[in-house]
Amino acid sequence: MTQDELFKVLVAHCKEYGFIFPSSEIYDGLAAVYDYGQMGVELKNNIKQYWWNAMTRLNENIVGIDSCIFMHPKIWEASGHVGAFNDPLIDNKDSKKRYRADVLIEDYLGKIEEKIEKEVAKGKKKFGDSFDEEQFRATNPNVLREKAKYEEVHNRFKAAEEASDFAEYRQIIIDCGIVCPISGTCNWTDVRQFNLMFSTSMGSTADGANTIYLRPETAQGIFVNYLNVQKTGRMKIPFGIAQIGKAFRNEIVARQFIFRMREFEQMEMQFFIKPGTELDWFAKWKETRMKWHVNIGMGAENYRFHDHEKLAHYANAATDVEFKFPFGFKELEGIHSRTNFDLGNHQKFSGKKITYFDPESGESYTPYVIETSIGVDRMVLAVLSHAYKEEALENGETRVVLSIPAPLAPIKAAVMPLVKNNEELTGLAQQIMNDLKFDFNCQYDEKDSIGKRYRRQDAIGTPFCITVDHDSLVDHCVTVRDRDTMQQERVPIAELRALIDKKVNLNNLLRNL
Ligand code: GAP
């Protein structure tokens, strides 16, 4: 199966097993908006808890808040979002479809990369064991031709991006012969800037503040509460404020399922520090966040940093933590050294003094900030895409299993009586369920054969299946089946809680950080 096919299968699986549904589906859906189903919400909550506890419980100097989506409109002027939170858009005059000009070029570059990889794969097949990939890449005429094309377009694109030269974006699109996928023509408009914020109106118009925005990031809610938290929490620099919440962006290229949505959730932490110490803290947070990711157990090789060459005007260092999604390495989290841009601007726009008095040095200053910002939905996608597996079994059948890291799995254990029409078995199974449900999210399942029930639980990633059989009534033991190894063992009912806890307790993950 190609990665493309695998991704389509994953999207269908997410719907079939209650993880993620297209929003408003009975009305044919709403583009780039998705709802979480009964399994998805549990997975999402577990991810949020892992992040929240890692930030606020493990660090005495980080506290959490929950600010509102609606905020004073001046906030978005101060933050620069009204003036500069734009995407470069281009329309095809024939199809009347709108695209992001930079994404059209990136896709074109991606296709060249694909061609190079196909050429290498062909070489591998042809030459077998004697294949020298490095030499092939350095000498094969087809690879060299495509590489040269890539370099030329890539360099022009980067220069245009650096200079915000949108006429050049259009020229690259024309020169590369990039056509609209709908009309197939190259009949493009000029490139225009399009603001990504959603706006709505609130209350009366008397105060002139009737147009308000749905926040495009949660970070500003932290900045405008900086003084409140610092004073009421008697926080001393360095300290952090964490927040999880919804953000909204009118994304034009909305695709790749929950990777890029118009309504999504962020987990952001702003760490306030003394000016001049920011690059040390930036390095520290890079390390800390990568550890958090790798600790989940999805393979260190599936993560990498992508340090930004072009920095936003307010940043003096920035990097992305990229994850290997089925469509390649893509941004999962951003870590930014934001200087004192945000606090400084809020000070200017609000007229309120936002400085910190350092009791030790006797100095006053506007703190600098290191930000860590991760999309909850992208984490969900990372976990699901890594977990989805189709395994060939010894009996010739195939099983679909989600090998979700056990502490994040939606259901931790399924309790099953061997047969459903035996009151003694169902009674004992219910009793076990009623006992375990206070510690773990469990599911009681008595329908269909045991084999079918195992498959159902594999498909939602349940680490343990517990079967109550006739012997259980006598020996007070049950059969516990492990999702990953499919091994079964006999376990005394009294030891079930400890056995499950060892594998699924989130604190075990947190202790390794
Ligand atoms: N406060 C900084 C900030 O918002 P960002 O790089 O624009 O930075 C941070 O966003 C993270 O939010 C991204 O790394 C990504 O995980 C997530 N994110 C951004 N836009 C998204 C979208 N349209 N859909 C889903 N997640 C998104």
Side-chain angles (χ1 to χ4, degrees):
M1 217 187 317
T2 64
Q3 289 297 297
D4 234 19
E5 286 162 348
L6 177 77
F7 192 54
K8 281 195 188 121
V9 170
L10 175 70
V11 173
H13 186 88
C14 284
K15 186 173 165 214
E16 186 179 350
Y17 287 93
F19 281 87
I20 298 156
F21 307 126
S23 161
S24 324
E25 200 187 4
I26 58 169
Y27 292 94
D28 296 333
L30 186 63
V33 187
Y34 289 92
D35 295 336
Y36 283 81
Q38 66 280 14
M39 292 301 144
V41 69
E42 297 289 344
L43 171 60
K44 198 179 182 192
N45 284 343
N46 293 340
I47 289 171
K48 288 197 271 189
Q49 203 189 346
Y50 175 47
W51 183 89
W52 186 260
N53 288 1
M55 283 293 175
T56 65
R57 284 215 196 152
L58 301 193
N59 296 288
E60 282 175 33
N61 60 348
I62 299 182
V63 292
I65 61 163
D66 184 15
S67 70
C68 280
I69 287 167
F70 293 147
M71 295 199 278
H72 196 288
K74 265 205 170 160
I75 287 171
W76 304 111
E77 285 174 40
S79 68
H81 284 83
V82 170
F85 194 50
N86 301 319
D87 272 348
L89 298 188
I90 192 164
D91 290 18
N92 183 269
K93 291 185 198 164
D94 298 318
S95 68
K96 313 273 183 255
K97 287 279 170 199
R98 181 165 290 176
Y99 301 91
R100 254 176 73 174
D102 54 341
V103 171
L104 284 179
I105 302 170
E106 276 167 7
D107 283 355
Y108 177 80
L109 288 169
K111 281 194 190 121
I112 301 180
E113 279 182 315
E114 259 173 44
K115 269 193 200 158
I116 295 173
E117 293 315 310
K118 268 194 191 144
E119 208 60 52
V120 173
K122 260 202 295 188
K124 233 179 229 167
K125 205 169 161 195
K126 190 170 162 196
F127 296 111
D129 287 345
S130 62
F131 182 65
D132 181 340
E133 186 171 331
E134 206 175 313
Q135 194 197 359
F136 186 86
R137 283 182 189 271
T139 55
N140 179 276
N142 292 342
V143 171
L144 291 179
R145 193 186 54 246
E146 293 302 328
K147 252 179 159 172
K149 205 193 307 177
Y150 182 95
E151 292 287 311
E152 194 217 318
V153 177
H154 183 258
N155 291 344
R156 277 181 71 186
F157 177 46
K158 287 293 143 193
E161 198 179 30
E162 190 73 38
S164 299
D165 182 350
F166 299 117
E168 173 68 353
Y169 274 24
R170 180 175 188 271
Q171 201 52 51
I172 296 172
I173 290 171
I174 306 267
D175 292 349
C176 293
I178 299 173
V179 296
C180 162
I182 310 286
S183 68
T185 71
C186 212
N187 195 6
W188 297 108
T189 61
D190 287 341
V191 174
R192 283 162 301 111
Q193 291 285 71
F194 175 84
N195 194 287
L196 292 181
M197 282 197 295
F198 283 103
S199 62
T200 185
S201 41
M202 179 183 261
S204 82
T205 57
D207 58 2
N210 61 324
T211 297
I212 54 164
Y213 300 99
L214 274 69
R215 66 180 178 198
E217 62 170 15
T218 61
Q220 296 306 322
I222 295 179
F223 290 124
V224 298
N225 277 297
Y226 160 80
L227 272 184
N228 285 334
V229 175
Q230 193 269 319
K231 290 213 152 72
T232 59
R234 299 189 313 281
M235 308 300 288
K236 284 209 178 88
I237 275 180
F239 76 91
I241 305 178
Q243 169 160 236
I244 300 178
K246 290 272 187 165
F248 304 82
R249 297 182 189 177
N250 198 0
E251 302 278 4
I252 292 305
V253 182
R255 52 175 191 183
Q256 290 164 334
F257 195 32
I258 55 170
F259 183 82
R260 196 180 301 286
M261 301 198 287
R262 294 193 166 118
E263 173 178 342
F264 58 101
E265 214 167 349
Q266 289 185 314
M267 305 188 281
E268 299 202 295
M269 193 279 301
Q270 312 294 323
F271 198 69
F272 299 93
I273 52 175
K274 188 174 176 180
T277 63
E278 69 272 17
L279 294 183
D280 288 342
W281 280 112
F282 178 69
K284 166 121 185 19
W285 277 109
K286 263 179 89 167
E287 189 189 319
T288 305
R289 292 304 303 147
M290 188 55 98
K291 199 166 174 198
W292 182 90
H293 283 288
V294 173
N295 188 42
I296 295 173
M298 300 199 295
E301 69 284 3
N302 290 320
Y303 300 88
R304 69 180 188 195
F305 284 117
H306 170 236
D307 292 335
H308 290 202
E309 285 160 35
K310 188 187 179 214
L311 295 170
H313 56 287
Y314 54 79
N316 63 4
T319 195
D320 295 337
V321 177
E322 293 188 337
F323 181 75
K324 197 171 178 193
F325 288 99
F327 37 85
F329 271 101
K330 291 274 182 264
E331 176 185 344
L332 173 58
E333 168 159 9
I335 303 168
H336 315 119
S337 172
R338 291 181 78 126
T339 66
N340 60 1
F341 173 83
D342 300 272
L343 288 184
N345 263 11
H346 286 309
Q347 188 159 249
K348 217 184 296 165
F349 278 71
S350 67
K352 304 277 182 333
K353 195 170 156 206
I354 311 181
T355 50
Y356 175 77
F357 176 72
D358 187 335
E360 272 151 38
S361 67
E363 298 167 80
S364 270
Y365 54 80
T366 307
Y368 269 38
V369 169
I370 303 296
E371 163 182 79
T372 73
S373 173
I374 171 171
V376 181
D377 314 274
R378 282 196 194 172
M379 257 314 283
V380 170
L381 185 58
V383 170
L384 286 173
S385 60
H386 182 265
Y388 184 89
K389 290 182 186 75
E390 292 180 10
E391 286 180 358
L393 302 178
E394 275 171 10
N395 64 5
E397 286 178 14
T398 306
R399 76 159 178 159
V400 172
V401 59
L402 289 185
S403 54
I404 298 173
L408 304 181
I411 307 286
K412 308 299 192 216
V415 185
M416 313 166 165
L418 187 62
V419 287
K420 68 173 176 188
N421 50 6
N422 178 319
E423 270 180 29
E424 276 185 299
L425 293 193
T426 54
L428 180 56
Q430 288 282 6
Q431 203 181 312
I432 293 172
M433 172 80 193
N434 285 336
D435 185 37
L436 292 179
K437 72 183 178 191
F438 293 97
D439 292 299
F440 315 107
N441 193 17
C442 299
Q443 203 172 63
Y444 178 80
D445 192 359
E446 60 176 25
K447 198 168 167 279
D448 299 322
S449 70
I450 280 289
K452 272 195 182 158
R453 284 182 261 172
Y454 282 165
R455 293 287 163 276
R456 256 201 309 267
Q457 295 300 329
D458 285 346
I460 57 171
T462 306
F464 295 108
C465 286
I466 299 163
T467 306
V468 177
D469 57 24
H470 299 283
D471 289 343
S472 307
L473 302 173
V474 184
D475 65 4
H476 306 291
C477 288
V478 285
T479 301
V480 176
R481 177 215 186 237
D482 182 285
R483 173 196 72 194
D484 302 319
T485 62
M486 292 188 283
Q487 296 289 320
Q488 302 186 12
E489 61 171 327
R490 230 27 215 170
V491 175
I493 293 169
E495 291 173 19
L496 273 177
R497 181 180 293 108
L499 178 104
I500 299 169
D501 189 76
K502 202 168 154 200
K503 192 155 176 182
V504 310
N505 196 323
L506 194 62
N507 288 338
N508 296 336
L509 271 191
L510 291 165
R511 275 197 189 95
N512 289 334
L513 285 174

